[in-house]
């Protein structure tokens, strides 16, 4: 009985899950909760518009720190012939599995800076989008299904109008010491807009979040990323 009680308590407070290497199963990647990844996001001009292409290491490698530390923006600008490049990581996913379809599934696999990556999304940008603006919605072009399993914690922002956004990934970009164990109490660190709240909970059924071509996302000031789900 004591073992069951302790296990339940750890689950409720969001203790670090057992580490599992992400595994590709058909069009899905499973075992993604707290899996480390990085993204390289070149921004190029297409006619009168700016477009960002998101290249991601998930399912290919765990973005080894020794390699990631040597990658520079200047080198990546030359690699992609880009106006600028965002080095987005390291990050850690919160969902338990990801299923992809369409262009997201068939994304090109590339090598950059010693990392293998695959194109997973694209973003149409305005000049203001190049600035990090926390708590602002942004549209991402992708076809994905994220599954957050019942019995595992989720972390949710709620806006003053009742819209809710579930955390899809936390980042060690601004706060390099942030870990999965810190997420239940993260609200105390965030400078939330008036009327907003942050909470963790343990759903009793799977939360399945689809993005059929478009997803609405936002970031907090620590660059943790959330997807809108109602």
């Amino acid at each position: 009985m004591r073992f069951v009680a302790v296990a339940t308590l750890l689950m409720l407070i969001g203790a670090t899950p057992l580490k599992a290497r992400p595994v590709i199963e058909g069009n899905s990647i499973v075992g993604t909760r707290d899996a480390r990844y990085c993204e390289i996001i070149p921004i190029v001009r297409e006619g009168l518009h700016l477009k960002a292409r998101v290249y991601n290491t998930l399912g290919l490698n765990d973005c080894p720190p020794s390699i990631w530390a040597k990658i520079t923006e200047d080198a990546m600008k030359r690699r992609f012939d880009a106006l600028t490049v965002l080095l987005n990581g390291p990050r850690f996913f919160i969902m338990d599995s990801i299923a992809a379809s369409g262009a997201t599934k068939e994304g090109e696999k590339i090598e950059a800076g010693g990392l293998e990556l695959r194109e997973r999304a694209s973003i149409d940008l305005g000049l203001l989008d190049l600035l990090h603006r926390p708590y602002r919605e942004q549209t991402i072009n992708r076809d994905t299904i994220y599954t957050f399993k019942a019995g595992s914690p989720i972390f949710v922002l709620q806006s003053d109008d009742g819209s809710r956004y579930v955390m899809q990934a936390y980042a060690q970009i601004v706060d390099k010491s942030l870990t999965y164990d810190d997420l239940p109490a993260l609200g105390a660190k965030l400078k939330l807009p008036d009327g907003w709240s942050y909470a963790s909970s343990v759903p009793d059924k799977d939360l399945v979040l689809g993005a059929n071509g478009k997803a609405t996302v936002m970031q907090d000031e620590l660059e943790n990323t959330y997807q809108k789900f109602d």
Side-chain angles (χ1 to χ4, degrees):
M1 286 291 292
R2 289 182 62 191
F3 174 80
V4 173
V6 171
T8 301
L9 177 61
L10 289 174
M11 179 182 70
L12 289 173
I13 65 175
T16 303
L18 294 175
K19 290 288 186 181
R21 185 186 181 98
V23 175
I24 298 175
E25 295 183 355
N27 296 334
S28 298
I29 302 177
V30 300
T32 52
R33 184 170 287 259
D34 207 24
R36 176 186 165 106
Y37 71 98
C38 297
E39 293 176 332
I40 297 177
I41 308 176
I43 297 170
V44 299
R45 188 183 302 279
E46 293 190 356
L48 299 177
H49 304 283
L50 299 178
K51 175 158 282 191
R53 299 197 180 279
V54 181
Y55 294 93
N56 187 302
T57 62
L58 185 68
L60 299 172
N61 58 78
D62 64 355
C63 183
S66 59
I67 297 177
W68 184 246
K70 295 177 182 178
I71 295 175
T72 66
E73 180 183 341
D74 285 345
M76 293 300 99
K77 284 168 65 176
R78 293 191 296 271
R79 163 67 175 82
F80 292 99
D81 192 23
L83 297 174
T84 189
V85 174
L86 303 179
L87 301 179
N88 188 27
R91 291 185 168 276
F92 300 80
F93 275 125
I94 300 299
M95 76 290 291
D96 296 283
S97 66
I98 301 172
S101 61
T104 301
K105 178 187 71 174
E106 303 296 341
E108 177 189 12
K109 186 166 75 170
I110 66 167
E111 184 280 333
L115 288 178
E116 282 192 314
L117 307 101
R118 190 178 294 278
E119 185 176 357
R120 292 298 187 185
S122 64
I123 312 168
D124 295 312
L125 297 173
L127 291 177
L128 288 178
D129 294 320
L130 296 178
L131 304 175
H132 180 242
R133 298 184 295 162
Y135 307 106
R136 301 288 185 92
E137 290 186 352
Q138 188 171 47
T139 299
I140 306 290
N141 302 315
R142 68 168 184 233
D143 293 276
T144 52
I145 297 174
Y146 292 163
T147 299
F148 301 78
K149 287 186 176 179
S152 296
I154 60 172
F155 311 99
V156 176
L157 285 176
Q158 182 165 314
S159 71
D160 55 354
D161 68 3
S163 297
R164 294 194 296 168
Y165 309 81
V166 66
M167 185 184 289
Q168 66 183 39
Y170 72 91
Q172 292 179 345
I173 299 172
V174 177
D175 182 352
K176 299 184 185 307
S177 66
L178 188 66
T179 69
Y180 186 90
D181 287 343
D182 297 324
L183 300 183
L186 183 66
K189 292 185 176 183
L190 300 177
K191 297 178 181 178
L192 296 170
D194 290 343
W196 286 56
S197 63
Y198 174 97
S200 62
S201 64
V202 180
D204 57 8
K205 61 181 181 179
D206 289 356
L207 172 62
V208 180
L209 221 58
N212 297 317
K214 302 285 184 183
T216 300
V217 301
M218 71 166 51
Q219 291 187 339
D220 60 31
E221 66 268 30
L222 301 181
E223 299 192 28
N224 306 310
T225 304
Y226 306 75
Q227 181 171 323
K228 190 173 186 177
F229 68 106
D230 64 16

